[in-house]
Amino acid sequence: MPTIVGIIEDSGGIGITGILRVSLDTPMVDTSSTPDGVMTVQARDFAIASGVVNISLAESQTQNLTYFFQFLTTTSSNSYYFGNGTLYTGPFHFHIDGKWYTGATNTIASVLLFQQINTTTNVAIAFHAIVPNIASVEFAALIPTGITTDVLDSSLRRLAEILTSNVDYVEDLRGGPRWKGVYSAVVFYQSSDTVSYAGSSWLYINVNPAVNITPSVVDPTYWQLLAQKGDPGGTGGTDTAYNSVGWDGATWAPTANAVRDIIELLARANDAALTGNPVAPTQAVGNNTTRLATTAYVIAEILSRFASPNFSGIPTIASTPLLPDNGSAIANTNFVKSTFHRYSRIVDSQTSGTNGGSAAAGIQTRSLNSIVENAGDVIALASNRFTLRPGSYRIAASAPGWGVGANRIFLWNVTTSARTLNGKSVNSSAANATTTHSALQGRFTIATNTDFEIRHFCQIAAATFGLGVAATEAAINEIYTEVEIWRLD
């Protein structure tokens, strides 16, 4: 619905409080595709405070029907009665239902007043007008002419001012089309409106105003073509870059610039400087002439030489592929041997005379600090933790215990926080101060790079020698924890 906004003021420019009464001059049917609603001539009152008008009404322009607008003000002696006949002299207000209530404004505490004494209703404004089919309209714009006196010459002057100041009126007086500029899908157009669209000019010819009807020669119901867009004409040449498909069959003339560009891009026949990726026909394998050789020809020629090689003697390759290579490199005997004998060894190596260290009661991580051998499967060794590549492995490990009672080593998967293999249970008597070795062996498979530790459970704590007693052989390192690894796949 269009919104009607504005200000109603008295002669001194002060907003007036009253009732804006609106009624249709004749019933109006809705404009939907299946009319099922009828608006009657029943009046509707809108309360106006301090002259502010902000109401919504159904548009009547498309059906050419008018509303009757009245602005009513009241004067009274402020004498009202309740329903029981008791006189009320307090503040009161006129509600939108056409009745008077107690209180300056309407609240849930307002009480209906039975009778008003000496109340006079004044009609401040009264006129008939069509509500246009637009989103918002000024209340003052609805007043048809603005003529406010009955002096003949003043009325005619005012009417002439309106006719000459409004573009639509001027165009109607001239008897010609009204220019509305570029066509817009959200503007209502009416008969004699003229617009530009797609380079052509169009005249609206339908008697009913409409919106969102695109000008088209296919449907001349609403728009008539006035002037059609012409051919572009000559431009002195088309500046289109050369294209074997785009230029094929074209009848336009290229510009000097386009011709110059294609000449510069083409390689000169003598001392050509080829750029980009020039192409040429691919010769057959075995061709031995002066024709150009493409990369496809070179590769095919090389592959043909090695399609069925006939090796003799003892051929070698420049270097042995690094383990664990799983690509298409040529494998020599050294690589094959290393693949089937992949052995790695990690130990806890201490200088001669250094004991293994104190053992705590419970689980502790054994020291690992040296990679003695590595077939390429041990990625790293740090902080007593070794990292293995994905694959299947066989492992053997051992570690000593001195005076720690019952004890056992196990392989701990740090990545998944779980035991992988458990070692054998042994007992190192604290009373007899004996050394035992717990050993483990087994196999396992990992799918990703995985960190491992050797951990040792000891029943009894033993200081200094608990994790191993030094042999103290001159210049020979002490070896305590040992891990041996064989790659199986």
Side-chain angles (χ1 to χ4, degrees):
M1 289 187 176
T3 300
I4 301 173
V5 297
I7 299 291
I8 301 176
E9 301 173 338
D10 60 17
S11 298
I14 304 300
I16 307 174
T17 296
I19 298 297
L20 180 60
R21 180 167 293 169
V22 182
S23 61
L24 279 164
D25 288 328
T26 185
M28 182 171 66
V29 180
D30 67 10
T31 57
S32 64
S33 58
T34 55
D36 56 3
V38 177
M39 297 177 64
T40 68
V41 296
Q42 176 70 40
R44 174 69 181 274
D45 290 345
F46 297 91
I48 303 300
S50 301
V52 177
V53 178
N54 191 337
I55 66 174
S56 295
L57 294 176
E59 64 88 11
S60 63
Q61 178 181 1
T62 56
Q63 299 194 43
N64 201 27
L65 300 179
T66 58
Y67 284 86
F68 181 41
F69 294 86
Q70 299 178 81
F71 184 71
L72 310 176
T73 60
T74 60
T75 57
S76 68
S77 61
N78 295 332
S79 298
Y80 299 88
Y81 286 88
F82 290 104
N84 59 8
T86 304
L87 178 65
Y88 173 73
T89 60
F92 60 93
H93 68 277
F94 188 76
H95 195 45
I96 60 174
D97 60 0
K99 299 177 182 180
W100 295 89
Y101 290 81
T102 62
T105 59
N106 187 52
T107 66
I108 58 175
S110 298
V111 178
L112 176 66
L113 294 173
F114 181 73
Q115 183 179 6
Q116 176 186 356
I117 306 301
N118 298 326
T119 298
T120 301
T121 300
N122 302 309
V123 180
I125 300 176
F127 63 90
H128 299 266
I130 289 175
V131 175
N133 194 5
I134 57 179
S136 178
V137 63
E138 291 285 344
F139 179 69
L142 297 178
I143 301 177
T145 64
I147 298 175
T148 58
T149 71
D150 57 358
V151 179
L152 181 60
D153 57 346
S154 298
S155 299
L156 290 177
R157 179 173 180 174
R158 174 60 178 159
L159 182 60
E161 289 176 352
I162 294 174
L163 292 177
T164 56
S165 62
N166 186 290
V167 176
D168 289 342
Y169 292 159
V170 173
E171 296 297 337
D172 285 340
L173 291 173
R174 290 176 179 173
R178 292 182 297 274
W179 177 247
K180 296 296 183 178
V182 180
Y183 168 77
S184 172
V186 298
V187 173
F188 270 87
Y189 293 104
Q190 55 185 335
S191 180
S192 296
D193 285 347
T194 307
V195 300
S196 64
Y197 177 75
S200 301
S201 58
W202 302 79
L203 174 68
Y204 191 90
I205 60 175
N206 199 288
V207 295
N208 297 317
V211 66
N212 198 23
I213 303 295
T214 305
S216 171
V217 294
V218 178
D219 183 8
T221 306
Y222 293 90
W223 294 96
Q224 177 179 321
L225 181 65
L226 291 181
Q228 187 172 8
K229 179 181 179 180
D231 293 332
T235 60
T238 301
D239 198 28
T240 302
Y242 174 75
N243 178 278
S244 60
V245 177
W247 281 34
D248 186 23
T251 58
W252 40 258
T255 62
N257 179 64
V259 175
R260 179 260 179 199
D261 289 344
I262 189 60
I263 292 175
E264 291 297 322
L265 290 174
L266 293 174
R268 296 175 176 82
N270 183 31
D271 192 21
L274 301 177
T275 61
N277 292 302
V279 297
T282 299
Q283 307 301 329
V285 173
N287 188 290
N288 189 20
T289 66
T290 57
R291 295 178 180 178
L292 292 176
T294 63
T295 55
Y297 168 78
V298 174
I299 292 175
E301 188 71 23
I302 294 173
L303 292 177
S304 69
R305 304 288 178 168
F306 293 98
S308 300
N310 185 12
F311 296 113
S312 61
I314 304 177
T316 61
I317 59 177
S319 61
T320 301
L322 297 176
L323 294 173
D325 190 294
N326 191 28
S328 58
I330 297 176
N332 57 15
T333 55
N334 186 29
F335 178 82
V336 174
K337 180 179 179 181
S338 298
T339 300
F340 288 97
H341 297 84
R342 293 172 66 169
Y343 171 78
S344 301
R345 180 170 177 252
I346 309 170
V347 299
D348 172 20
S349 178
Q350 305 293 338
T351 59
S352 178
T354 303
N355 293 303
S358 298
I363 296 174
Q364 53 236 291
T365 300
R366 295 297 306 222
S367 173
L368 288 172
N369 55 23
S370 298
I371 300 177
V372 180
E373 291 188 53
N374 188 3
D377 297 304
V378 179
I379 299 175
L381 173 64
S383 300
N384 306 319
R385 183 177 299 174
F386 60 94
T387 305
L388 294 180
R389 300 180 187 277
S392 295
Y393 296 92
R394 175 176 174 269
I395 190 171
S398 66
W402 180 90
V404 295
N407 64 97
R408 179 214 314 268
I409 64 169
F410 57 89
L411 179 63
W412 177 255
N413 187 324
V414 180
T415 302
T416 62
S417 297
R419 293 194 187 204
T420 299
L421 294 171
N422 286 314
K424 296 179 180 179
S425 300
V426 294
N427 195 321
S428 173
S429 172
N432 298 329
T434 59
T435 298
T436 58
H437 282 77
S438 176
L440 66 81
Q441 60 179 339
R443 58 181 296 170
F444 58 89
T445 300
I446 51 177
T448 60
N449 290 348
T450 305
D451 295 334
F452 290 98
E453 292 177 350
I454 299 297
R455 295 190 175 182
H456 198 163
F457 167 76
C458 297
Q459 185 182 33
I460 302 171
T464 309
F465 311 106
L467 298 182
V469 179
T472 317
E473 183 180 359
I476 302 298
N477 279 7
E478 312 290 347
I479 302 297
Y480 295 109
T481 307
E482 180 182 39
V483 180
E484 295 179 288
I485 303 168
W486 293 267
R487 179 67 178 258
L488 300 179
D489 60 352

